[in-house]
Amino acid sequence: MANSLSWDQDTVVDRISNLPTSLICHILSFLKTKEAIATSILSSRWKPLWILVPTIYLRDDCRQEPISFTHIVYRVLALHIAPLLRYFSLTWYSPCNSFHLDAWIHTALARNVEQLRLEIYLNGQDGTEFYNGRRFELPRSFYFCRTVVVLELTDGIVLDPPPSFQFPSLKIMSLCEILYRPHHSFSMLLCGCPVLQDLSVTREGTDGMIKFNVSVPTLKRLSIEFYTYERDLPDYKLEIYAPALEYFGFRGDLRNVVFLKKLANLVEAHVEVRAVEFLQEDWVREHKIYYGDRVFKLVRALNHAKFFSLYPGDKEVECIGFGSIFPSRFQKLARLNFKVNKSNWYVLQALLVVAPDLEVLVLDKHFHFNEDELCWTEPSDDPGYLSSRLTTFKFNGFEGLEHEMEFVKYIINETRSLKAITINVSDKQLKESILEELLMFSRINSTTCLLTVE
């Protein structure tokens, strides 16, 4: 609090303590509850303020006995008197009777909580990638909260909703590695969210779902992450009905993704395919499916995006056997961020063919290549192949290899409206030689285009 004090001659003025109570409580709401309580030692003015703060942040840090911390939680909730609870967060790492957790959650619901965050590990964190300990089943009262607007559920939690319930105010929901029981409980949950706009789901292979349905007409943002370490995991299907979707993000191990309605309102999309290395080739071989076909199927469904970030995978098996890969055009695409590796250069080529209004192209190289691993080849002359509106081009991780240089030269020669080219060189000793070689091209010497090698 030293910064709140000012010295005027020999007088010390505590400016923060003179602020209105409501404003001080607002400031304290940005602190964890433990820190807010600590301010009570500053003066008698501060002592009662934390109990009026509309946020409660409780975290079992495993450094004290669970019984002792349980007592602290009950004491905090008993003293706290803010009539409206804007934010309630509970993180628990220790063995605990579910009765206590139920009581604390019920207290938050009774205070008309607006943002609810629960992260629970009843057996602690065992150090593995995913939590496999005892699970906490949410109390029935949880499913009838009419005030919650933002909901976050993480790890050791079981989702098992009743046949009839509703979250009438819920707009933002994040579900991270929780267990769905029964398998259709996820779909049931979404049916009880009539105004949901933002959904984030992180899954792992043992969460109990094989068919995964997202049917939310009001949804504007959808982010999905999926990873599995199970060799025998069956194929899963993800069906999405979200006609109002403006943002879509996918990261992880891709399976069969189906959009039941065109995404006419889509503005931004991020796709990063990252299958677990030791599983990927075995899975493709066993199921006799070209992984790459599913990559392009997903990409085609996102062709209304204006901003697109794409990493189609880092294994050759993901990028083979496509046939006609892009039957539709990416007419609205203005910015493309593409993570390139040794096996997906031609994926980039295919995208450039169908993006006539592309303005910004950013390449990020994922791995260091050998010269014979690259597969960029300049396409045959075709008027209109490269967007005439391309103004900005950036290449991160440039190594000066022959195919990389040919690609940059191609962009320079074929684009008439370039205003800025930035080449980020991985080996700084090559900067001068790369700059000299690129400056030999007449289009770079134009006063309308700025070349930067960094």
Side-chain angles (χ1 to χ4, degrees), residues 120-408:
I120 298 174
Y121 312 85
L122 291 181
N123 292 103
Q125 290 176 290
D126 56 8
T128 59
E129 184 70 20
F130 299 108
Y131 177 74
N132 293 313
R134 185 164 66 94
R135 301 273 180 166
F136 167 67
E137 188 168 331
L138 293 163
R140 288 300 185 206
S141 60
F142 162 80
Y143 296 99
F144 298 93
C145 180
R146 303 189 62 82
T147 59
V148 65
V149 177
V150 180
L151 174 64
E152 297 179 58
L153 303 178
T154 300
D155 286 290
I157 295 174
V158 177
L159 186 70
D160 185 10
S164 179
F165 70 96
Q166 194 172 80
F167 292 103
S169 304
L170 185 60
K171 293 183 178 181
I172 301 173
M173 180 162 61
S174 174
L175 306 173
C176 182
E177 297 171 19
I178 65 174
L179 181 64
Y180 303 94
R181 191 176 62 204
H183 63 86
H184 59 272
S185 58
F186 176 77
S187 299
M188 291 174 60
L189 177 66
L190 296 185
C191 289
C193 304
V195 296
L196 189 65
Q197 296 181 5
D198 188 328
L199 174 64
S200 300
V201 181
T202 301
R203 300 185 57 207
E204 52 97 358
T206 59
D207 61 7
M209 284 197 298
I210 295 177
K211 190 171 183 180
F212 186 43
N213 295 316
V214 176
S215 181
V216 187
T218 58
L219 199 64
K220 294 183 178 180
R221 293 180 61 87
L222 175 61
S223 301
I224 295 174
E225 290 192 36
F226 177 72
Y227 297 97
T228 178
Y229 292 86
E230 299 289 326
R231 287 187 178 275
D232 298 326
L233 180 73
D235 191 15
Y236 78 81
K237 185 175 185 180
L238 168 58
E239 290 186 346
I240 301 172
Y241 175 77
L245 208 62
E246 297 175 0
Y247 170 90
F248 175 77
F250 181 92
R251 189 172 190 268
D253 191 7
L254 182 64
R255 292 295 188 263
N256 188 15
V257 180
V258 178
F259 289 93
L260 301 179
K261 191 173 181 62
K262 288 186 177 180
L263 304 178
N265 298 298
L266 191 67
V267 176
E268 185 175 358
H270 291 259
V271 173
E272 188 170 349
V273 178
R274 287 185 176 275
V276 178
E277 250 183 75
F278 72 86
L279 293 177
Q280 182 174 286
E281 294 184 18
D282 291 344
W283 190 92
V284 173
R285 190 182 304 111
E286 179 182 348
H287 291 267
K288 296 180 174 59
I289 293 174
Y290 286 122
Y291 205 73
D293 285 337
R294 292 187 167 180
V295 175
F296 278 103
K297 178 183 176 183
L298 175 59
V299 170
R300 283 198 302 268
L302 305 175
N303 70 323
H304 284 280
K306 184 176 182 180
F307 308 103
F308 195 11
S309 178
L310 175 63
Y311 177 46
D314 58 5
K315 287 290 183 181
E316 232 175 281
V317 72
E318 294 173 3
C319 297
I320 57 177
F322 301 108
S324 179
I325 54 179
F326 285 120
S328 58
R329 294 171 73 81
F330 285 67
Q331 199 72 44
K332 300 178 181 179
L333 188 60
R335 179 186 177 103
L336 174 63
N337 286 63
F338 191 93
K339 190 173 288 188
V340 67
N341 61 42
K342 63 183 181 182
S343 63
N344 67 19
W345 274 98
Y346 74 100
V347 182
L348 173 63
Q349 286 178 266
L351 272 170
L352 294 178
V353 169
V354 293
D357 291 335
L358 190 65
E359 298 175 9
V360 179
L361 174 62
V362 179
L363 296 190
D364 292 283
K365 197 163 71 171
H366 188 51
F367 290 118
H368 294 288
F369 305 147
N370 295 319
E371 191 70 31
D372 59 355
E373 289 180 328
L374 296 171
C375 55
W376 164 261
T377 55
E378 185 171 333
S380 58
D381 292 338
D382 182 8
Y385 170 77
L386 193 60
S387 170
S388 61
R389 298 190 179 187
L390 190 66
T391 60
T392 304
F393 172 60
K394 185 172 184 178
F395 196 142
N396 296 315
F398 190 81
E399 293 181 282
L401 300 178
E402 181 180 351
H403 286 75
E404 296 176 341
M405 190 65 75
E406 289 302 315
F407 179 76
V408 173

